[in-house]
């Protein structure tokens, strides 16, 4: 990238980017999606630093830093590229003019590039006022200039003076709840938003940020390092996240512009790009891809829920508003979540359905405790057959359907956690289908 300079035309810069993206798409079928996103990030690292030096900004005392997804080295073909330019104090007029020329040159790239120019003090002050800015800076990565700027910002964000761990958690959780409410709390949209729907990429990023802030961990394996997921659950989360990322990469490549919603109009082309099928079996290709996608997003949402609740009750020492209540020998209520009283509770498969029956009967229950959800997921995986094969399960399900209140909540949770599909396989066959 040494031949790139202020004299390089916009057309040539855009051609280089397009050529590199084409090369990455050729590797889509052989390389991991994480590798592709990192390579694209490193390409822009070289391009931007070469331009920075061509305007002699490397001698200015400023630092140029990648933030957000670019800071994490997670660039899709149409991802925003966010830059934080940090100074020690007031920028001299001569440097300001060069910086203005550099920013103007960025428009020639034909890529959506956002930037901010702030002193260290201004960056921290704005981060304290806006959780979005704080989150963006949490992923700061130095490209060129004083690397101390990035480390100072991270150090400040890791301290409790800017955001306490508790305040940061509640702010990010509120953001997530608002996103989920906007999406009507379902991951199973026929036209899903790959980034913002429940089970989308943002759900993984949110628990990453919360863990990063609380545990002061600054590496790509933040979630694994917390110890709140088993190795199998961690692998499941990463595999599901990778698949959603692959679909997003394919969507960006097909549409060739920023796009997060997998609209019907694009599903055929995305399925073909991902080699699920072609013109001769288009409908089957779409349904296969969407089935994989819904499974991945459902798993992400489950694991996100487990981690969010674990952080709230175990890490942040959340105090319940009401004392815990014993329901019977199998279940209890704590923090408005239903909880199994012992690990072997679901050996009796009847109790799987009773769990949801109790949710319908007790209006103060609004979810399932993390460890109980883990037990439920394990039971679901090792079932020898459908739950409807068990007489006790059939009896509990019929009783559930007769409940005057709470039926909608219970059936929604059964659907979300795959229990309806485990009760009768026909339900699983229609999930994610267009008709």
């Amino acid at each position: 990238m040494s031949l790139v300079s202020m004299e390089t035309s916009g057309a040539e810069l855009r051609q280089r980017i397009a050529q590199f993206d084409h090369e990455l798409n050729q590797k889509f079928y052989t390389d991991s999606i994480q590798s592709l996103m990192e390579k694209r990030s490193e390409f822009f690292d070289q391009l931007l630093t070469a331009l920075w030096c061509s305007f002699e900004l490397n001698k200015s005392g400023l630092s140029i830093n990648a933030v957000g997804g670019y800071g994490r080295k997670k660039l899709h073909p149409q991802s925003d590229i966010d830059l934080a330019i940090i100074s020690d104090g007031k920028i001299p007029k001569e440097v300001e003019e060069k910086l203005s020329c550099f920013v103007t040159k960025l428009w020639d790239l034909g890529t959506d590039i956002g930037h901010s120019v702030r002193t260290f003090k201004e960056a921290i002050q704005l981060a304290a006022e806006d959780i979005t800015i704080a989150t963006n800076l949490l992923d700061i990565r130095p490209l060129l200039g004083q690397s101390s700027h990035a480390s100072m910002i991270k150090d400040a964000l890791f301290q409790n003076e800017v955001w306490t761990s508790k305040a940061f958690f509640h702010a990010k959780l509120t953001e997530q709840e608002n996103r989920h409410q906007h999406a009507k709390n379902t991951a199973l949209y026929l036209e899903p938003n790959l980034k913002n729907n429940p089970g989308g990429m943002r759900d993984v990023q949110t628990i990453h940020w919360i863990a990063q802030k609380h545990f002061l961990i600054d590496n790509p394996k933040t979630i694994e390092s917390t110890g709140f997921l088993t190795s199998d659950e961690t692998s499941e989360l990463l595999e599901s996240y990778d698949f959603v990322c692959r679909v997003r990469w394919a969507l960006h490549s097909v549409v060739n512009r920023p796009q997060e919603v997998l609209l019907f109009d694009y599903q055929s082309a995305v399925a073909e790009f991902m080699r699920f099928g072609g013109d001769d079996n288009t409908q089957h290709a779409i349904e296969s891809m969407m089935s994989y996608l819904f499974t991945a997003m459902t798993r992400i949402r489950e694991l996100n829920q487990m981690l969010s609740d674990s952080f709230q009750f175990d890490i942040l020492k959340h105090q319940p508003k009401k004392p815990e209540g014993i329901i019977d020998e199998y279940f209890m209520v704590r923090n408005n979540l239903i909880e199994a009283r012992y690990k072997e509770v679901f050996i009796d498969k009847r109790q799987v359905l009773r769990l949801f029956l109790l949710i319908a009967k007790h209006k103060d229950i609004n979810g399932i405790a993390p460890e109980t959800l883990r037990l439920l997921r394990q039971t679901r995986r090792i079932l020898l057959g459908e739950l409807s094969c068990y007489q006790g399960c059939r009896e509990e399900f019929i009783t559930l359907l007769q409940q005057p209140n709470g039926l909608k909540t219970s059936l929604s949770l059964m659907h979300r956690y795959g229990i309806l599909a485990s009760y009768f396989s026909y339900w699983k066959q229609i999930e994610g289908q267009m008709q």
Side-chain angles (χ1 to χ4, degrees), residues 327-389:
I327 297 178
D328 54 28
E329 62 181 297
Y330 303 104
F331 298 103
M332 62 186 289
V333 179
R334 177 159 44 195
N335 302 312
N336 295 107
L337 301 179
I338 190 166
E339 184 176 322
R341 296 185 64 190
Y342 58 94
K343 291 183 178 180
E344 296 80 14
V345 65
F346 295 130
I347 288 179
D348 176 7
K349 299 301 180 286
R350 174 191 288 266
Q351 302 310 319
V352 174
L353 274 295
R354 274 197 75 244
L355 173 78
F356 296 95
L357 174 59
L358 291 170
I359 291 173
K361 286 183 173 181
H362 294 261
K363 62 181 181 181
D364 59 324
I365 299 175
N366 54 32
I368 302 172
E371 278 303 318
T372 304
L373 180 54
R374 175 174 281 129
L375 295 175
L376 192 66
R377 285 164 43 82
Q378 292 170 349
T379 301
R380 186 184 66 197
R381 281 198 295 267
I382 62 175
L383 283 172
L384 297 176
E386 296 181 9
L387 286 169
S388 58
C389 295

Side-chain angles (χ1 to χ4, degrees), residues 160-349:
N160 285 329
E161 284 76 11
V162 180
W163 284 88
T164 66
S165 186
K166 183 176 182 179
F168 187 85
F169 171 81
H170 285 304
K172 298 312 293 182
L173 198 63
T174 299
E175 275 188 352
Q176 177 169 287
E177 288 170 352
N178 290 340
R179 279 192 296 103
H180 288 188
Q181 287 293 334
H182 184 71
K184 296 181 171 50
N185 267 318
T186 179
L188 301 180
Y189 265 102
L190 294 181
E191 293 181 311
N193 186 309
L194 301 174
K195 188 174 182 179
N196 293 318
N197 269 31
M201 294 167 55
R202 190 64 83 200
D203 276 9
V204 178
Q205 292 157 1
T206 295
I207 54 180
H208 170 87
W209 288 320
I210 292 171
Q212 189 179 10
K213 164 64 177 166
H214 184 81
F215 291 101
L216 311 182
I217 300 172
D218 185 19
N219 65 61
K221 296 186 176 181
T222 298
I223 295 174
E224 301 96 300
S225 302
T226 66
F228 278 84
L229 292 180
T230 67
S231 58
D232 286 346
E233 289 166 347
T234 299
S235 297
E236 182 180 343
L237 178 64
L238 296 179
E239 181 180 351
S240 300
Y241 178 66
D242 273 14
F243 185 78
V244 178
C245 287
R246 292 188 74 81
V247 176
R248 188 182 186 228
W249 183 286
L251 177 61
H252 281 194
S253 298
V254 165
V255 179
N256 198 31
R257 60 180 171 80
Q259 176 70 29
E260 305 303 341
V261 180
L262 185 55
L263 299 172
F264 290 134
D265 290 346
Y266 306 139
Q267 290 177 9
S268 174
V270 171
E272 184 172 357
F273 185 94
M274 298 185 70
R275 295 185 176 175
F276 275 94
D279 294 336
D280 55 337
N281 60 348
T282 300
Q283 188 60 38
H284 176 72
I286 294 172
E287 291 179 352
S288 295
M289 176 185 70
M290 296 306 288
S291 177
Y292 274 82
L293 180 60
F294 291 147
T295 298
M297 295 182 75
T298 298
R299 289 177 175 178
I300 288 172
R301 188 175 188 190
E302 287 179 359
L303 293 165
N304 169 280
Q305 188 68 58
M306 285 172 55
L307 280 167
S308 297
D309 288 340
S310 294
F311 291 163
Q312 184 164 355
F313 300 133
D314 296 336
I315 298 176
L316 302 180
K317 311 301 179 188
H318 175 75
Q319 296 299 317
K321 296 178 180 178
K322 297 180 181 179
E324 61 186 47
I326 305 298
I327 297 178
D328 54 28
E329 62 181 297
Y330 303 104
F331 298 103
M332 62 186 289
V333 179
R334 177 159 44 195
N335 302 312
N336 295 107
L337 301 179
I338 190 166
E339 184 176 322
R341 296 185 64 190
Y342 58 94
K343 291 183 178 180
E344 296 80 14
V345 65
F346 295 130
I347 288 179
D348 176 7
K349 299 301 180 286

